[in-house]
Amino acid sequence: MISREIFYFERPGPVNTDQTLTLGIRRAQELGLIYLIVPSITGYSALLAAEKVHELATNSRLQVICVTFRAGGTWNVEKPPPGKHWQEIPELRQRWEEWQRKGLKRVVFDEEIKARLAEYRIPVVQATDLAADIESSMASDLGVNSPKTIMKETLFLICPGLKVAVFTTMTAADSGAIPVEQEVVSFGGTEQGLDTALVVKPSYSDRVFHPRYGFEIREIICKPRSMIGASGFYYDRAWGAQS
């Protein structure tokens, strides 16, 4: 029998980023792992991960892999983002207000951060989000749902960060950035920052359910204990029901 601790945050959000990285990096070192999968819309979370590795893991072979938007991918912020978590999670509300003050219409990967990541030799995987591909257009533009929607919402039953960690790890595997035979530590979050960390055995996306080569969540290192907000809605779940 093996006993492992799971760290539960009181609430989701970017406020947990530093502790999430610390816990994930320490667990990777304990297990002798190499790869840290970090989803990052602007590159900032990946940069924090690189700096944290440099701080905590000197003489380590740990490698941060940044996974971000596909080519041409942007985050439209002209209108308030969907979901009540953008109003109820303080850091997200502050981020939205900051974007408004700056007059931003969209958020993209930061080129200055990309240059700094290059100094740390951090590869940036720019690829299609497995949750936002052809089937997503079928759902949003044609009103046709798919089994992938069910899979995504099922992972949300644990927390949105877990879905992000699972999908971005497969994206990294599909791109050839990581091997699928080795365990990795994968991170996720609630829109911005990080609040979830896992130990997973990766797979390619077309083999996720394969009986021999499929994906496996082996450890939950940390996650928000609950995703329910002050409004009584679960953050990031079934957006249409929150309007």
Side-chain angles (χ1 to χ4, degrees):
M1 187 174 103
I2 300 174
S3 176
R4 292 282 181 259
E5 287 186 338
I6 299 177
F7 192 97
Y8 294 102
F9 296 114
E10 292 183 1
R11 67 168 179 83
V15 68
N16 303 311
T17 297
D18 186 77
Q19 184 69 6
T20 298
L21 287 170
T22 297
L23 292 167
I25 290 168
R26 285 178 177 168
R27 188 65 184 132
Q29 290 181 287
E30 290 169 358
L31 293 171
L33 306 183
I34 298 174
Y35 297 100
L36 305 172
I37 314 303
V38 182
S40 194
I41 293 170
T42 64
Y44 185 63
S45 291
L47 180 60
L48 291 178
E51 293 171 345
K52 183 65 71 172
V53 167
H54 184 72
E55 173 191 337
L56 297 178
T58 53
N59 301 321
S60 169
R61 58 178 185 165
L62 284 176
Q63 172 68 62
V64 174
I65 307 292
C66 174
V67 180
T68 192
F69 279 134
R70 60 164 171 77
T74 64
W75 201 353
N76 188 338
V77 294
E78 288 183 276
K79 299 179 181 179
K84 295 182 183 298
H85 48 293
W86 279 98
Q87 289 79 45
E88 297 181 5
I89 296 178
E91 310 91 77
L92 295 184
R93 185 177 64 250
Q94 291 165 9
R95 192 71 51 85
W96 164 250
E97 291 170 352
E98 178 185 348
W99 291 337
Q100 290 295 98
R101 286 195 299 272
K102 291 181 177 179
L104 292 182
K105 295 184 178 180
R106 59 188 185 130
V107 175
V108 298
F109 202 89
D110 190 301
E111 290 299 321
E112 291 185 10
I113 291 178
K114 190 173 184 178
R116 294 181 65 187
L117 290 174
E119 294 175 4
Y120 281 105
R121 299 184 180 180
I122 305 301
V124 177
V125 176
Q126 188 175 24
T128 300
D129 179 352
L130 295 176
D133 56 10
I134 294 173
E135 293 180 13
S136 298
S137 178
M138 292 172 65
S140 62
D141 301 327
L142 301 177
V144 178
N145 262 322
S146 71
K148 188 175 65 178
T149 302
I150 298 173
M151 178 181 177
K152 181 174 70 172
E153 292 291 339
T154 300
L155 293 175
F156 280 171
L157 295 179
I158 300 174
C159 67
L162 187 136
K163 169 261 171 186
V164 173
V166 169
F167 278 39
T168 53
T169 298
M170 286 190 285
T171 298
D174 285 354
S175 73
I178 58 171
V180 294
E181 300 84 10
Q182 300 177 24
E183 290 182 350
V184 304
V185 169
S186 185
F187 297 93
T190 306
E191 301 292 4
Q192 299 268 300
L194 306 170
D195 57 23
T196 305
L198 313 172
V199 176
V200 305
K201 199 292 283 182
S203 77
Y204 301 116
S205 61
D206 62 347
R207 289 190 168 186
V208 58
F209 298 115
H210 193 281
R212 182 174 180 181
Y213 304 112
F215 197 98
E216 185 177 17
I217 299 170
R218 293 188 172 168
E219 296 182 21
I220 297 177
I221 300 169
C222 61
K223 67 176 289 291
R225 186 176 182 276
S226 174
M227 296 300 299
I228 197 165
S231 60
F233 286 90
Y234 289 98
Y235 295 145
D236 235 358
R237 188 189 297 183
W239 280 356
Q242 298 186 41
S243 57

